[in-house]
Amino acid sequence: MATASSNIKGFYRQKKKESGIRKPTSTKSDKSSLLHAATLGSDFTPPSALVSHGSPDLKDDYDKNEDVLRQFDMNSAYGPCLGMSRLARWERAQRLGLNPPKEIEDLLKGTKVRSECLWDGCI
Amino acid sequence: MTAMEIDTEKNIQRKHSTYQSLDKTFDIQNEIYRGQQYSQIYFARLHTMRTLLYSLVTHWKPSCPCLLMTFISVILEVSGNLEVMVVFRVLDFNGIGCEVYVVDRGHLYMVLVNFISGAFFKFFFSPICNGLGFCTVLGLEEGKECIIVGTLFKHMQLKPCVLDEYSKERSAVPLVKPHNFMHPDDHLVLEDESGRVKLGGTVLSPSTYVTGGVVALHGKETTAGDFLVLDVFEAGLAPQIEPQLKSREDKYVVFISGVSVGSSTSNPLQFQLLVDHITGHLGDEQEQGIAAEIVHVVFAGNSVEIPLGLLNGQNLASKDQSRVSEAVQVLDILLSQIAAGVSVDIMPGSNDPANFALPQQPLNRCLFPGSRTFNTFNSCTNPHCFELDGVRFLGTSGQNIDDLKKYSEARDELEFMERTLKWRHLAPTAPNTLGCYPFTDRDPFLIESCPHVYFVGNQDKYGTRILEGSEGQMVRLISIPKFCNTGLAVVLNLRNLECHTLSFGAQPSTLKTFNDA
């Protein structure tokens, strides 16, 4: 490899500087309370693979709201998630007296999140 | 409009009754298929029944009441809307506390009350019944007795499976009884959200149960991984509203099913005789007086039979088109004769031009251009629920019982009907072997209020019995035979819920109608 050392920088992309618009990082307590909100009322502890530890470089196209909603989808206390919209499943859980956390309803009605469950379109 | 047109001086007026249809839960109005799954309806069923069974289980294993009622007021004070259910036992690990069982929004909680301070610590959801704990299937511990609640699944060897087509061994064992798929080796499995467990022991006999029922089982897990059942608990009959049966006059309701207009086995003269009898065109004054006491007529399914050879998917020739609609036109003419005088309900059945999956939607009113002009004509869903003068009726066109016959056994149809009432579910085999619409938010076949009259149409023979429940409920069970085969219609007296048959014969030598009680 008789490349000049000046070309090495061309090979390896430098890290981007911290500039421009970034999503505000949430505080840890806020995030964990929302995560646990989705699993309230059941024995179910989500496996750590599903709990997002938020490393910015490896983030897919979902954010922490979507993460919370995915926890809600996976929670078996509220029944199967496939084939129903998330809001319909939340309302069913409410009607059956399962006390689903209010934050989920606010997320689904307020912010711009996916209305269908995690597996919609995949199965 | 009076039912009389013949030359009598006094007109006999037909009696009236108040009719209220309760079919709202069976309507599929704005539901659209968007990929709903059947697991949703099983979840709704399991959750509703499990909450119900938890609250009823104290009747099953009653314990002695506790003496510490004084502390209940403390609990009620602290959290407003808890209802105290029953106090089970005093803890004695530290001698200063007791367990109180409270029901909050359908969930059973165990609450620890500290005597000294009166404060309480809300425990995690751990229902306990007379020392026996409830647990989920996954939480079963070997050798420990507990109570589990879940949906039954019956593993049947002979049940037709779509994968049999692809099995390499083409030498299939021929079914000895193609209409009943039972086998001595069938076994039951209990399933809930966490898992499933095979059921063993001799208490639970697989021939009585079918897939889809929800029960509570008391037993323990064995070393082999099975659950050894020691006792079974079904929900039993639902609570019933008292009908005011006193101070009533004789009012009759006529049930007919399986008229099958247009089929080769039906005799049009028999049906015409029935219509004439109901409308009072038959018999002398006394006979007409009896007919004037009929207040309602119910057609419980299979009113029409369209020749199957025409429905093979090919375009119909013009002469065949008229054959297809002939049967419905004849039915419409006869129905309009009845509707002119008395209120009539028509339910769809398995052979009728309605949808296949339960709950079958009402037959379209455009099929009955003559009858629909009368406001006494009601096209109803299958299953059908209505109230007549405060007496609650619930019935189907027979698909639910026919399916139970294929997958379980009983003495007669009435025993199948009794089981569906005790399991509080009209069609437990739906959606497993019986076509069902994929509801997601509810299971419409759960019986919340026990009917006073429960009827099933299109059965092989007539049968009736009074079923008594543990809390004083009384249900009249009626199995309505197919009219085209037997010529029998069933008549129920609203005053005392007694039943008799009306038999119509068209043999030249026995051309008469008679009531036999």
Side-chain angles (χ1 to χ4, degrees):
Chain A
M1 291 223 245
T3 51
S5 60
S6 59
N7 283 343
I8 296 294
K9 282 193 185 163
F11 273 85
Y12 298 104
R13 192 159 53 95
Q14 284 170 339
K15 252 197 175 165
K16 277 189 190 165
K17 283 199 197 130
E18 296 231 349
S19 62
I21 303 165
R22 275 198 124 217
K23 283 187 198 159
T25 50
S26 57
T27 60
K28 193 149 193 312
S29 58
D30 181 39
K31 185 185 186 128
S32 58
S33 74
L34 273 181
L35 275 181
H36 292 138
T39 54
L40 273 178
S42 82
D43 296 339
F44 178 75
T45 47
S48 56
L50 282 178
V51 176
S52 145
H53 296 292
S55 48
D57 283 347
L58 300 171
K59 237 179 181 38
D60 290 331
D61 57 349
Y62 66 90
D63 59 353
K64 67 169 171 58
N65 282 342
E66 176 67 18
D67 202 43
V68 165
L69 289 173
R70 284 186 185 187
Q71 294 299 326
F72 172 67
D73 281 344
M74 289 285 102
N75 191 342
S76 67
Y78 307 123
C81 67
L82 214 84
M84 282 179 94
S85 73
R86 282 166 168 168
L87 188 59
R89 186 162 169 265
W90 190 92
E91 279 165 0
R92 176 184 72 184
Q94 175 82 325
R95 214 177 320 118
L96 290 177
L98 294 161
N99 291 335
K102 191 102 180 37
E103 298 95 1
I104 309 280
E105 189 198 12
D106 296 336
L107 273 180
L108 288 168
K109 285 192 174 161
T111 56
K112 187 164 166 281
V113 289
R114 235 169 86 97
S115 65
E116 297 303 322
C117 82
L118 178 59
W119 309 117
D120 183 60
C122 302
I123 291 186
Chain B
M1 178 177 163
T2 60
M4 310 294 124
E5 284 169 352
I6 17 185
D7 37 288
T8 53
E9 258 138 36
K10 54 177 168 62
N11 284 332
I12 307 175
Q13 295 285 344
R14 190 182 288 280
K15 293 191 181 162
H16 288 284
S17 62
T18 50
Y19 171 80
Q20 193 198 358
S21 167
L22 298 163
D23 280 341
K24 193 152 177 299
T25 176
F26 300 121
D27 263 340
I28 303 176
Q29 291 276 15
N30 299 320
E31 307 253 6
I32 302 171
Y33 181 66
R34 277 186 222 97
Q36 291 96 315
Q37 305 268 321
Y38 281 138
S39 54
Q40 309 286 356
I41 196 176
Y42 276 121
F43 172 73
R45 185 187 305 180
L46 176 62
H47 184 84
T48 317
M49 288 298 297
R50 184 166 52 192
T51 317
L52 180 73
L53 282 168
Y54 279 167
S55 66
L56 288 177
V57 87
T58 52
H59 298 281
W60 182 29
K61 309 265 179 200
S63 68
C64 44
C66 184
L67 314 150
L68 298 158
M69 302 301 274
T70 50
F71 287 91
I72 291 164
S73 54
V74 172
I75 293 161
L76 286 177
E77 229 173 75
V78 176
S79 33
N81 55 357
L82 292 176
E83 320 157 16
V84 175
M85 199 165 82
V86 68
V87 181
F88 275 101
R89 64 176 190 204
V90 182
L91 282 175
D92 45 15
F93 63 83
N94 56 2
I96 54 165
C98 87
E99 286 172 356
V100 179
Y101 294 87
V102 297
V103 175
D104 176 29
R105 275 171 287 195
H107 290 276
L108 186 60
Y109 294 98
M110 181 177 79
V111 167
L112 186 64
V113 177
N114 182 306
F115 291 179
I116 293 172
S117 63
F120 73 98
F121 310 96
K122 194 166 177 183
F123 259 46
F124 171 67
F125 185 153
S126 66
I128 297 194
C129 170
N130 200 25
L132 291 169
F134 283 71
C135 53
T136 58
V137 165
L138 214 52
L140 282 176
E141 285 166 27
E142 197 183 306
K144 180 169 161 226
E145 275 187 24
C146 60
I147 299 176
I148 54 176
V149 178
T151 317
L152 285 172
F153 176 80
K154 186 156 133 176
H155 184 88
M156 302 181 78
Q157 219 170 322
L158 294 179
K159 180 173 149 191
C161 173
V162 73
L163 297 175
D164 289 341
E165 277 187 308
Y166 301 103
S167 71
K168 297 206 176 92
E169 311 151 11
R170 276 313 198 133
S171 61
V173 176
L175 289 173
V176 177
K177 288 179 288 182
H179 298 296
N180 184 292
F181 302 111
M182 294 184 51
H183 192 271
D185 287 343
D186 295 336
H187 62 265
L188 289 167
V189 171
L190 193 82
E191 187 172 315
D192 71 1
E193 299 113 340
S194 57
R196 38 165 49 192
V197 65
K198 186 161 171 235
L199 300 177
T202 50
V203 173
L204 216 56
S205 124
S207 60
T208 329
Y209 293 90
V210 283
T211 304
V214 180
V215 290
L217 299 173
H218 163 220
K220 58 186 174 204
E221 193 184 353
T222 59
T223 47
D226 293 355
F227 186 78
L228 180 71
V229 179
L230 299 169
D231 203 1
V232 190
F233 180 67
E234 298 164 344
L237 292 184
Q240 193 181 57
I241 303 169
E242 279 288 321
Q244 283 85 35
L245 281 180
K246 297 175 201 152
S247 71
R248 272 183 206 270
E249 30 184 11
D250 280 341
K251 285 187 189 175
Y252 295 99
V253 179
V254 176
F255 294 97
I256 315 128
S257 85
V259 177
S260 296
V261 173
S263 83
S264 49
T265 53
S266 78
N267 188 337
L269 181 55
Q270 271 181 338
F271 190 27
Q272 187 66 59
L273 279 175
L274 172 77
V275 172
D276 287 342
H277 174 82
I278 293 174
T279 53
H281 287 96
L282 214 57
D284 63 348
E285 249 184 53
Q286 192 200 359
E287 199 68 39
Q288 288 168 348
I290 294 172
E293 291 173 344
I294 297 176
V295 290
H296 197 69
V297 177
V298 178
F299 279 81
N302 286 352
S303 318
V304 87
E305 194 171 303
I306 298 176
L308 282 178
L310 297 174
L311 300 173
N312 52 6
Q314 304 200 338
N315 288 331
L316 288 175
S318 53
K319 63 174 163 66
D320 286 338
Q321 275 180 1
S322 57
R323 274 177 63 200
V324 167
S325 55
E326 226 166 56
V328 183
Q329 282 169 356
V330 169
L331 178 68
D332 183 40
I333 292 170
L334 291 165
L335 276 181
S336 54
Q337 290 176 13
I338 303 181
V342 68
S343 65
V344 60
D345 285 354
I346 179 160
M347 293 164 59
S350 47
N351 295 339
D352 285 327
N355 58 315
F356 171 73
L358 288 189
Q360 281 183 298
Q361 296 303 288
L363 290 165
N364 203 313
R365 290 169 72 86
C366 68
L367 290 169
F368 306 107
S371 318
R372 69 166 181 239
T373 56
F374 295 101
N375 69 349
T376 45
F377 174 75
N378 303 304
S379 182
C380 310
T381 56
N382 169 32
H384 182 36
C385 183
F386 63 99
E387 246 184 44
L388 209 55
D389 276 353
V391 176
R392 198 179 181 119
F393 291 71
L394 176 65
T396 64
S397 300
Q399 290 103 326
N400 58 335
I401 301 299
D402 290 341
D403 211 52
L404 280 182
K405 275 194 219 167
K406 282 194 233 168
Y407 297 99
S408 63
E409 68 184 1
R411 269 190 333 260
D412 54 8
E413 285 93 13
L414 298 175
E415 199 177 328
F416 286 122
M417 291 166 72
E418 190 183 324
R419 284 183 197 161
T420 58
L421 283 179
K422 289 199 167 142
W423 293 332
R424 296 212 199 175
H425 200 276
L426 272 177
T429 50
N432 186 33
T433 44
L434 191 56
C436 174
Y437 180 82
F439 292 98
T440 52
D441 53 348
R442 69 190 198 278
D443 186 345
F445 303 114
L446 285 171
I447 301 172
E448 265 144 35
S449 166
C450 192
H452 300 108
V453 179
Y454 182 38
F455 63 91
V456 167
N458 293 301
Q459 299 304 303
D460 295 326
K461 52 188 201 302
Y462 165 67
T464 184
R465 176 151 65 91
I466 290 261
L467 175 66
E468 286 179 13
S470 58
E471 282 158 30
Q473 300 103 328
M474 297 250 290
V475 191
R476 164 66 70 182
L477 303 176
I478 308 176
S479 148
I480 310 168
K482 290 196 185 108
F483 189 78
C484 58
N485 294 344
T486 58
L488 288 179
V490 181
V491 182
L492 172 88
N493 188 342
L494 278 182
R495 182 173 59 86
N496 49 17
L497 294 186
E498 273 175 13
C499 258
H500 59 267
T501 53
L502 275 181
S503 173
F504 296 94
Q507 307 299 321
S509 57
T510 59
L511 194 68
K512 62 182 178 196
T513 70
F514 55 91
N515 297 356
D516 49 350

